[in-house]
Amino acid sequence: MTDAIRPLIAGNWKMNGLKSSLAEFEAMLAGASDVADKADLLVCPPATLIASFAERARGSKSLRVGAQDCHAKPSGAHTGDLSAEMLADAGASAIIVGHSERRANHGETDVEVRQKAEAVWRAGLTAIVCIGETQHQRDQGQTLDICRGQLNISLPDGARSDNLVVAYEPVWAIGTGLTPTAWDVEQIHGFIRELLIARFKGEGARIRILYGGSVKPSNAAELMAVANVNGALVGGASLKAADFLAIARGCP
Ligand code: PEP
């Protein structure tokens, strides 16, 4: 039963955060136990902050630290890149792959996203694989086809509920203040759930499907109550502890 899935509220800090952001992270850590009955928390800061955040979060049962991207290879001549093994070594427990900003700004393909997800597993971490349609694709009525195509290619075989999280993030909703209706989200998450079950059987019924795109305290409760929404991937509103924790409190 998907109802029993424990929600995950994951914060994607993107290219925001300096050493001075440790105070905000500590406020999240301090509040995490208050929302522990609602959701697991994951904060994905820029790579420069992973080690210090993970050190502070050591021992926390409800808040973990993640990363925003990785290279598919474990090591080698890839200037400026970071492997999943390096991020695990720094203290990450999960890695976001295939975020639409990576797909758009770095030309990442579904095949590359799958290779990155495999790298995340190779390092023993959880892959958070992002999918979602653009405004143009939505206007063309292609939302479900786009999601199906991205899932088919971006997800490796062997997905389980403890190594994969899927994040449905309509590109047009990211950072815009726009969100799909709860009805739209229900249709799309239901469709994603069917595909996950068809491919991964019982595990597919338990893999978390996060909604992402302009989630904030004022809309979290409505979105988190939708069937097959098992948490949120949060960008802007994850930078402030008060907002991030309020979103977690919105989980049913
Ligand atoms: C994101 O970038 O993953 C995201 C959901 O951003 P925002 O919450 O700011 O729309």
Side-chain angles (χ1 to χ4, degrees), residues 120-170:
V120 175
W121 292 356
R122 188 186 62 221
L125 307 185
T126 298
I128 302 177
V129 177
C130 302
I131 60 163
E133 82 287 1
T134 63
Q135 180 72 63
H136 177 71
Q137 291 163 336
R138 180 178 192 240
D139 293 344
Q140 301 293 309
Q142 297 171 340
T143 298
L144 298 184
D145 287 343
I146 293 294
C147 290
R148 184 198 292 108
Q150 289 179 334
L151 285 173
N152 281 348
I153 302 175
S154 302
L155 299 186
D157 289 334
R160 302 187 312 263
S161 55
D162 62 352
N163 68 10
L164 177 72
V165 173
V166 172
Y168 167 62
E169 299 207 300

Side-chain angles (χ1 to χ4, degrees), residues 12 14 99 101 169 173-176 212-215 233-236:
N12 172 13
K14 311 192 187 194
H99 190 282
E101 287 155 12
E169 299 207 300
I174 294 179
T176 60
S214 296
V215 176
L233 181 53
V234 186

Side-chain angles (χ1 to χ4, degrees), residues 179-183 185 216-227 229 250-251:
T179 51
T181 64
W183 189 88
V185 173
K216 45 192 184 235
S218 59
N219 62 18
E222 185 188 8
L223 289 164
M224 297 305 106
V226 172
V229 172
C251 290

